[in-house]
Amino acid sequence: MSITLNSPLDMHLHLRDGDMLKTVAPLSSSSFAGAIIMPNLVPPVSTKEELIAYKKRIEEACDNSSFTPYMTLFFKPSYTKEFLESVKDELTAIKLYPAGITTNSEGGVSGFDVEELRPTLEAMSELEIPLCIHGETNGFVMDREAEFVSIYEKLASAFPNLTIIMEHITTKASVEALDRFDNLYATITLHHLMITLDDVAGGMLQPHLFCKPIAKRPEDREALRKVALEAHPKVMFGSDSAPHPQHAKESCGCAAGVFTAPIALQVLTELFVEHSTVKNLQAFVSDNALKIYKNIEVPKKTIRLEKKTFVVPPKYGTVVPMYASETIAYSIVE
Ligand code: DOR
Ligand code: ZN
């Protein structure tokens, strides 16, 4: 039996730059029709010129023309309406990081004072630019996301016409917040559907599963699985595939990020088949995103998967993928 996906989308992806970009971009462009590209380069993508130049480098690195990089800027409260109007046609969303919460986010937001954020967020709302948020406080690591829910609620009610995407949700608390506000949506990663904190730190420490937000409890994973497997209309797939060189992961001071781009669709397919919900996979990996992001056009691309084992390479360039050297059940077939 083969499974056909029309124009699968990855609504949260890190492609980096330079040699790393050249290594990882083709691994996404070969299986996805497009992706929301994160702006946390060094320095972060925060001007129109930087955004256009980065998009061009991505297009050059994807040796495949039917892949659309949907570009984002790194949120700054100093963005004016005039600036946003001038860049609107080049971008798909703006990504907000709390200051210092994760890789290359030092220039992010602190405090979340609605009045300070109002001019930029109102302009985004008027211009219909979605706001993607890495929702974690700097509290206790297991509680950071749940603590951030009150900030999501404050923003969702202060800016009711702004589309707010809770990125890479990991908790039952975030899943429950989705239905309380019409303008709150979420991306869910592959790794948070597959693992819990036990897989990261319950036995020998697994650096390649260490990420932000950290994987949580079994009941959190169950809540994520429920909305993903039913393709709840407010959730969509966003891999948060975040490559780091092996030496930065297998070291004292492990960088956060799980690299899933080359195995994402295959493992999602296995998960959905196992739960007899494969009919919902198309909505989770593409259709829901097109309804949530009203401002994207997607190239037509058909990806076919079959139950055929695939031995995951131990490395792609310098990057160790999730399930490295393991055998997974589904393969992408031409
Ligand atoms: O694990 C993560 N890695 N979480 C993030 O939010 C950022 C990402 C990265 O850029 O490495
Ligand atoms: Zn990310």
Side-chain angles (χ1 to χ4, degrees):
M1 187 188 73
S2 86
I3 288 134
T4 302
L5 295 173
N6 296 313
S7 302
L9 297 169
D10 182 346
M11 302 308 282
H12 183 131
L13 177 65
H14 296 269
L15 287 179
R16 316 298 192 205
D17 214 340
D19 288 346
M20 182 64 95
L21 170 64
K22 292 189 184 112
T23 303
V24 301
L27 300 169
S28 286
S29 67
S30 60
S31 40
F32 290 91
I36 295 273
I37 310 299
M38 290 298 126
N40 61 332
L41 304 183
V42 187
V45 182
S46 50
T47 68
K48 183 175 177 178
E49 295 68 37
E50 286 165 353
L51 182 141
I52 291 171
Y54 186 37
K55 182 174 185 183
K56 190 155 176 280
R57 295 197 294 282
I58 294 169
E59 285 166 346
E60 283 164 8
C62 298
D63 42 10
N64 182 332
S65 58
S66 65
F67 178 82
T68 307
Y70 302 111
M71 304 305 291
T72 65
L73 279 179
F74 187 97
F75 180 90
K76 290 188 177 171
S78 56
Y79 291 155
T80 62
K81 186 164 185 197
E82 293 64 45
F83 168 69
L84 294 174
E85 270 166 348
S86 76
V87 74
K88 181 181 183 323
D89 291 344
E90 305 293 339
L91 60 68
T92 300
I94 296 183
K95 174 73 186 284
L96 186 155
Y97 289 92
I101 204 68
T102 188
T103 312
N104 306 334
S105 64
E106 291 70 22
V109 169
S110 346
F112 289 91
D113 176 41
V114 168
E115 292 320 310
E116 191 193 329
L117 302 176
R118 186 176 296 281
T120 308
L121 295 186
E122 252 164 22
M124 287 175 62
S125 178
E126 281 164 30
L127 296 169
E128 298 180 351
I129 301 172
L131 175 69
C132 303
I133 304 186
H134 181 121
E136 289 193 285
T137 66
N138 49 19
F140 179 67
V141 67
M142 286 294 279
D143 298 335
R144 287 176 187 178
E145 184 177 297
E147 286 175 5
F148 200 90
V149 168
S150 63
I151 300 176
Y152 278 127
E153 293 182 342
K154 183 166 82 170
L155 296 174
S157 51
F159 306 98
N161 297 320
L162 177 66
T163 293
I164 300 176
I165 323 261
M166 309 160 76
E167 293 295 334
H168 45 53
I169 58 170
T170 62
T171 57
K172 192 161 177 267
S174 293
V175 170
E176 288 167 357
L178 274 176
D179 287 329
R180 290 204 293 274
F181 289 86
D182 286 347
N183 56 332
L184 273 188
Y185 302 89
T187 55
I188 300 180
T189 73
L190 172 71
H191 46 285
H192 292 118
L193 289 171
M194 301 308 292
I195 65 171
T196 68
L197 184 59
D198 242 15
D199 297 290
V200 187
M204 301 262 276
L205 191 64
Q206 299 299 320
H208 299 290
L209 299 179
F210 172 68
C211 63
K212 302 284 181 73
I214 193 93
K216 304 290 188 315
R217 308 180 66 85
E219 52 269 36
D220 293 306
R221 183 179 63 177
E222 276 321 297
L224 298 176
R225 282 190 170 191
K226 179 167 186 301
V227 283
L229 291 168
E230 73 186 23
H232 184 298
K234 296 186 97 185
V235 305
M236 55 198 154
F237 177 62
S239 71
D240 199 14
S241 177
H244 290 277
Q246 185 173 20
H247 68 80
K249 297 288 289 174
E250 297 175 11
S251 74
C252 183
C254 167
V258 183
F259 181 56
T260 54
I263 52 123
L265 285 181
Q266 299 89 316
V267 178
L268 276 177
T269 300
E270 183 176 2
L271 180 72
F272 277 66
V273 169
E274 247 177 26
H275 287 83
S276 312
T277 55
V278 76
K279 65 181 192 310
N280 298 335
L281 185 56
Q282 175 65 36
F284 182 60
V285 299
S286 187
D287 302 354
N288 286 1
L290 291 173
K291 290 179 194 146
I292 295 167
Y293 276 85
K294 298 174 190 77
N295 58 350
I296 61 178
E297 277 173 34
V298 67
K300 216 172 144 34
K301 186 164 185 168
T302 306
I303 299 293
R304 220 156 51 80
L305 295 112
E306 265 175 20
K307 186 150 194 224
K308 182 171 156 219
T309 55
F310 172 61
V311 182
V312 182
K315 272 202 241 179
Y316 291 89
T318 60
V319 190
V320 178
M322 188 179 184
Y323 299 130
S325 306
E326 291 183 39
T327 302
I328 59 175
Y330 281 80
S331 300
I332 293 178
V333 291
E334 291 316 315

